């Protein structure tokens, strides 16, 4: 089946063959349907169907107002439908518009096809709903496929739009336009381009007509400035002649065109690029990507890549759906047949307020507004349908169809608030909100024939240009139980944070400041303080570091003390920012409430775009279905029988005491340095079998420096590097350059455990070394003459605890002796149990011997771990697991629950169980 074959059938209006024979749908199951609108009769034929979704063909093409009324009458007993209106030259396809497609733009839902057009998006939509011969999709799955086709169409258009914006920005740079003026100009042009294509004014394409007929490259800069002045002037205050090219333009208001703009003369390339942009259909672009688009075009590297990198709406929907949208969608379903409850729900929507205190270009606000307007529209449609059901008269039905409900809108722009530290994103946020409002009104027009006229702009969102950490949020929006706070505040770790930002963070947290807090935690503190005793709901996208390691307890203790509990959470998942030059990070999304919630939702990333979903009675700070305990550092192991861990030795030598593979020969050939060479093991050497050496000079004879130029040069290098340190203690160590700065080397055999290990490994690898092997501080060390500690560290229970409460670097696990090891809630161990654990550990070491030359990393590669080694670890796990009693040891989630219960008991927090 070719694309042309599909479109040939469309053009021939042979819809039954198209849908039944080519796309695999079922034969029609309904007779022809006759409806009457404004005393005119229309007959529709069902051409195909699938599980209640029926396709109807009307062989005439009435005005859209009549189409809308016909569509509603068809929907009286056929809720899911696709209605196609046609004549010999043109067709209009009215696609299903339930909640699954509620966020799509009106132009995606009412698709116009010109007979003979082979560049249409219609092919992609038809291919998306093609069914295999033996396929048995549910109706919801079919609608999801249709939605995905629309999303792909919009995303493809967004890429093209980004390229156009990139071309405009490049020309502005060539013309010497500064960044502030360029972004302000592009924001205004975006509004006009969108307005041209989205029926914001009449005639359509008014701005394009003005550009083509009344501007030149030489005068374009002054022409645009003149237009902007007119757009910011009320019609009654204008002094224009009737033949002025500015006369047809309406007053915009809203401040978008108010501020002064400095434009030098613009070149031919800019005018050509702007006219090319006019030829593009901007009305199918989601305003939620405008901010990403602007951020993309400001990067030269991004522009060279074609503007293909921007943040989709997927992660925003992950936040707003469980925060509030799912709840209100559920209420709509429960109220579906009850007009009083529908009215109550509608009024409730009108009381909601939303604040994004780090709104950037407004994506969260845009998507939240769009989805709530779609929900509101569904309420209005359902009330209309119930009214029609109650009244039998066709005359009344027709009156109801043309009812003006624009005055019934309760979800309005002035219910949405933002705070943004940079000026131009704040402006883009305001613009995007205005445009998404227009799209929502267009959807209303599709359903009811009328929509509110928003020009001049009177109702607008309130986006504050300011520093959210210094602004008084209560002055922006007073707190109430109807307020939702949401967004993606900036996250910057301590290592990368400028002093100014660190000082801001300290000013927010005061005495409760923790050195490991990420910058994003300031928004958590501000939100808790904002609500005070007032219940509400809030959710942020954050770096996953806030639920890992040391910061967890001090952050969540403050949240919990103020009565907040986790309502939903997305566990650790990869998140890439909108710009190419920003590193990918791992994030979580956490939503909070003070209200009682029976089933809290926990989502876990499973790869690609997939997540598993589970319902929990409680979700703790580590995003686990378990008691709300907080794990704090301890100076000694909580479990009896565990020896203390300490880090290996640290040279602080500027690299002069360590020896790489390319250097070792010269040190072994030198008779003086040869006697001081020792194997040096860090985490890379431990895990990957790499070779490195060091000079171990505890038995150093000062005379040897005069006998070896190599040794003398190395010691001088150490001395100079230590003197250059900013730390006084390190400077003092320059007096003894032959010694490691921190010497913790044991004089007996020891167990070495890497500080960092891949989170993908099933077990934490560790290994024994003799005291002649010097261990670096990238490993923890401990004496383990019997092998008991080896067994504990090598178990599934230990790596589960480490993965759950320990810190991370990106996704890699990080072992801490005070936070992870000392808090491991190992139950008491009897002598016979200990003996079995030691024996099982020896079995693992013995099995490793089957693979000579293999590194630990290779042996413990999760995709290729030898089965006999896996079995040896299973034997060990059975011994360790038995210490913890009953429970679900088959999954990591089950192990986590068991571990938290034991930790609560060992720390006297039984009341949380």
């Amino acid at each position: 089946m070719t694309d042309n074959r599909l479109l040939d059938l469309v053009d021939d209006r042979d819809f039954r063959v198209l849908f039944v024979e080519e796309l695999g749908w079922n034969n029609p199951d309904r007779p022809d349907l006759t409806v009457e609108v404004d005393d005119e009769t229309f007959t529709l034929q069902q051409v195909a169907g699938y599980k209640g979704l029926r396709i109807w063909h009307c062989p005439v093409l009435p005005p859209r107002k009549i189409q809308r009324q016909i569509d509603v009458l068809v929907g009286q007993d056929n809720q899911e439908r696709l209605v196609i209106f046609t004549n010999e030259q043109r067709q209009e396809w009215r696609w299903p518009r339930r909640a699954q497609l509620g966020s799509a733009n009106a132009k995606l839902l009412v698709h116009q096809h010109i007979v003979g057009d082979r560049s249409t998006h219609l092919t992609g939509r038809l291919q998306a709903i093609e069914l295999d011969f033996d396929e048995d999709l549910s109706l919801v799955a079919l609608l999801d496929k249709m939605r995905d086709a629309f999303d792909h169409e919009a995303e493809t258009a967004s890429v093209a739009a980004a390229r156009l914006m990139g071309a405009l920005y490049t020309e502005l740079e060539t013309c010497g336009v500064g960044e502030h003026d360029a972004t302000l100009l592009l924001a205004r042009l975006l509004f006009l381009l969108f307005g041209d294509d989205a029926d914001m004014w009449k005639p359509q394409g008014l701005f394009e007509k003005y550009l083509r007929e009344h501007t030149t490259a030489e005068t374009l800069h002054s022409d645009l400035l003149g237009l902007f002045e007119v757009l910011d002037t009320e019609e009654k205050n204008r002094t224009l002649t009737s033949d002025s090219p500015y006369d047809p333009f309406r007053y915009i208001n809203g401040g978008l065109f108010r501020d002064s703009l400095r434009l030098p003369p613009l070149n031919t390339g800019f005018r050509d690029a702007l006219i090319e942009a006019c030829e593009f259909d901007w009305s199918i672009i989601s305003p939620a990507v405008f901010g990403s688009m602007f951020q993309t075009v400001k990067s030269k590297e991004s522009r060279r890549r074609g503007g293909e990198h921007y943040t989709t709406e997927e992660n925003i929907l992950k936040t707003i759906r469980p925060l509030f949208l799912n709840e209100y969608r559920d209420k709509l379903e429960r109220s579906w047949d009850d007009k009083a409850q529908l009215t109550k729900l509608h009024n409730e929507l009108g009381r909601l307020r939303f604040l994004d205190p780090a709104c950037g270009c407004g994506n969260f606000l845009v998507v939240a507004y769009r989805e709530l307007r779609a929900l509101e529209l569904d309420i209005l449609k359902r009330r209309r349908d119930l009214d029609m059901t109650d009244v039998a008269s066709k005359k009344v039905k027709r009156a109801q169809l043309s009812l003006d409900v624009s005055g019934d809108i309760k979800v309005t722009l002035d219910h949405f608030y933002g705070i943004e530290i940079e000026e131009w994103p704040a402006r883009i946020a305001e613009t995007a909100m205005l445009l998404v409002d227009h799209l929502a009104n267009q959807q209303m027009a599709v359903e009811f024939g009328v929509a509110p006229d928003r020009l001049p702009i009177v109702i607008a969102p309130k986006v504050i240009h300011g520093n959210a950490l210094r602004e008084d949020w209560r002055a922006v929006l007073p707190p109430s139980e109807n307020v939702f706070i949401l967004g993606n505040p900036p996250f910057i770790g301590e290592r990368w944070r400028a002093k100014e930002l660190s000082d801001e963070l300290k000013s927010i947290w005061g005495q409760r400041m923790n050195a490991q807090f990420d910058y994003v935690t300031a928004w958590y503190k501000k939100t808790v303080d904002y609500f005070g005793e007032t219940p509400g709901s809030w959710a942020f996208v954050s770096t996953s570091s806030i639920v890992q390691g040391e910061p967890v307890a001090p952050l969540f203790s403050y949240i919990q003390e103020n009565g907040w509990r986790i309502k939903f959470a997305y566990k650790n998942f990869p998140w890439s920012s909108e710009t190419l030059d920003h590193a990918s990070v791992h994030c979580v999304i956490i939503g909070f409430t003070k209200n009682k919630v029976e089933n809290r939702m926990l989502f876990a990333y499973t790869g690609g775009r997939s997540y598993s979903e589970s319902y929990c009675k409680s979700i703790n700070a580590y995003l686990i279905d378990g008691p709300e305990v907080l794990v704090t550092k301890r100076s000694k192991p909580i479990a009896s029988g565990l020896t203390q861990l300490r880090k290996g030795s640290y040279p602080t030598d500027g690299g002069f005491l360590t020896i790489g593979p390319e250097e070792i020969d010269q040190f072994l050939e030198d008779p003086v340095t040869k006697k001081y060479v020792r194997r040096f093991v860090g985490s890379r050497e431990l895990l990957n079998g790499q070779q490195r050496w060091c000079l171990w000079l505890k038995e150093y004879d000062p005379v040897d420096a005069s006998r070896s130029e190599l040794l003398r040069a190395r010691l001088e290098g150490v001395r100079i590097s230590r003197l250059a340190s900013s730390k006084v203690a390190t400077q003092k160590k320059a007096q003894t350059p032959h010694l490691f700065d921190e010497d913790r080397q044991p004089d007996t055999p020891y167990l070495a455990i890497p500080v960092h290990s891949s989170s993908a490994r099933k077990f934490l690898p560790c290994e024994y070394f003799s005291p002649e092997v010097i261990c670096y501080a990238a490993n923890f060390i401990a004496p383990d003459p019997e092998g008991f500690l080896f067994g504990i560290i090598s178990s599934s229970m230990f790596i589960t605890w480490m993965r759950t409460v320990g810190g991370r670097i990106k996704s890699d696990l990080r072992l801490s002796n005070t936070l992870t090891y000392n808090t491991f809630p190992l139950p008491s161990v009897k002598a016979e149990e200990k003996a079995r654990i030691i024996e099982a550990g020896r079995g693992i070491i013995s099995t490793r011997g089957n693979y000579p030359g293999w590194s630990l990393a290779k042996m413990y590669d999760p995709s290729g771990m030898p089965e006999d080694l896996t079995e040896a670890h299973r034997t060990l796990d059975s011994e360790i697991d038995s210490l913890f009693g009953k429970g679900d040891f088959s999954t990591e989630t089950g192990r986590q629950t068991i571990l938290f219960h034991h930790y609560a008991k060992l720390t006297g927090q039984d009341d949380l169980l």
Side-chain angles (χ1 to χ4, degrees), residues 666-685:
Q666 61 177 315
F667 282 87
L668 294 179
E669 291 169 0
D670 185 314
V672 174
T673 57
K674 179 180 179 180
K675 63 182 181 180
Y676 296 119
V677 172
R678 299 288 186 274
R679 186 181 171 193
F680 191 46
V681 177
S683 59
R684 289 189 180 92
E685 292 75 29

Side-chain angles (χ1 to χ4, degrees), residues 295-306:
Q295 196 149 335
T296 299
V297 302
K298 289 178 67 179
S299 161
K300 291 184 174 67
E301 183 181 3
S302 299
R303 294 203 300 277
R304 286 195 298 270
R305 296 281 292 272

Side-chain angles (χ1 to χ4, degrees), residues 204-217:
Q204 192 174 21
L206 178 62
F207 176 58
E208 180 181 1
K209 182 175 185 294
Y210 167 74
L211 283 176
R212 292 183 183 276
E213 297 179 5
H214 300 287
T215 70
T216 66

Side-chain angles (χ1 to χ4, degrees), residues 214-424:
H214 300 287
T215 70
T216 66
E218 293 74 21
T219 64
L220 181 58
H221 66 294
S222 58
D223 295 330
L224 288 175
L225 292 174
L227 174 60
F228 297 158
E229 182 179 354
V230 170
L231 293 173
D232 195 50
T233 305
E234 292 187 61
E235 286 87 344
K236 65 181 181 180
N237 295 328
R238 295 176 182 175
T239 56
L240 301 173
T241 60
S242 58
D243 59 348
S244 168
Y246 298 135
D247 186 63
F249 287 94
R250 297 184 62 183
Y251 171 48
I252 300 299
N253 198 14
L256 180 60
F257 295 94
R258 181 172 305 152
D259 291 353
S260 61
L261 179 64
R262 295 172 295 176
L263 286 182
L266 304 172
N267 58 24
T268 301
F270 180 79
R271 184 173 183 274
D272 292 344
L274 185 54
I275 289 176
E276 181 183 357
C278 289
E279 296 170 354
F280 180 78
D281 186 357
W282 292 85
S283 65
I284 63 172
I285 305 298
S286 168
V289 305
F290 288 163
S292 305
M293 187 189 309
F294 270 77
Q295 196 149 335
T296 299
V297 302
K298 289 178 67 179
S299 161
K300 291 184 174 67
E301 183 181 3
S302 299
R303 294 203 300 277
R304 286 195 298 270
R305 296 281 292 272
E308 297 169 338
H309 295 266
Y310 58 89
T311 300
T312 66
E313 302 167 19
E314 180 181 359
N315 288 322
I316 300 172
L317 290 170
K318 286 178 195 171
T319 305
I320 69 172
R321 280 174 175 158
L323 180 61
F324 62 87
L325 193 59
N326 289 344
E327 176 184 348
Y328 287 106
R329 279 284 171 195
D330 290 344
K331 287 184 177 182
L332 175 59
E333 291 295 326
R334 294 196 299 270
S335 306
W336 194 248
D337 295 317
D338 189 326
K339 286 193 290 184
Q341 290 301 315
L342 288 172
T343 300
K344 180 181 178 181
L345 174 59
H346 194 192
N347 291 333
E348 187 176 348
L349 293 185
R351 292 192 294 269
L352 303 183
R353 300 294 184 270
F354 298 85
L355 169 64
D356 183 346
C359 72
C361 294
N363 293 14
F364 275 82
L365 298 175
V366 164
V367 175
Y369 181 74
R370 182 195 68 192
E371 295 298 316
L372 284 170
R373 282 293 304 270
L375 174 61
E376 180 179 44
L377 182 59
D378 285 343
I379 293 173
L380 293 172
K381 289 190 304 182
R382 183 56 183 165
R383 284 172 50 186
R384 175 197 63 194
D385 293 346
L386 290 176
D387 287 341
M388 292 174 61
T389 302
D390 289 344
V391 184
S393 167
K394 288 185 178 181
K395 182 176 180 181
V396 175
K397 287 181 184 179
R398 291 196 295 270
Q400 291 288 345
L401 286 171
S402 59
L403 179 67
D404 182 357
V405 296
S406 59
D408 294 341
I409 297 175
K410 297 184 183 295
V411 179
T412 54
L413 287 175
D414 55 347
H415 296 173
F416 290 76
Y417 300 77
I419 305 173
E420 170 52 38
I421 194 168
E422 294 186 40
E423 179 185 11
W424 73 263

Side-chain angles (χ1 to χ4, degrees), residues 875-889:
T875 300
L876 172 66
D877 278 346
S878 67
E879 299 296 340
I880 300 291
D881 293 348
S882 66
L883 302 177
F884 287 86
K886 296 181 179 180
D888 177 15
F889 295 93

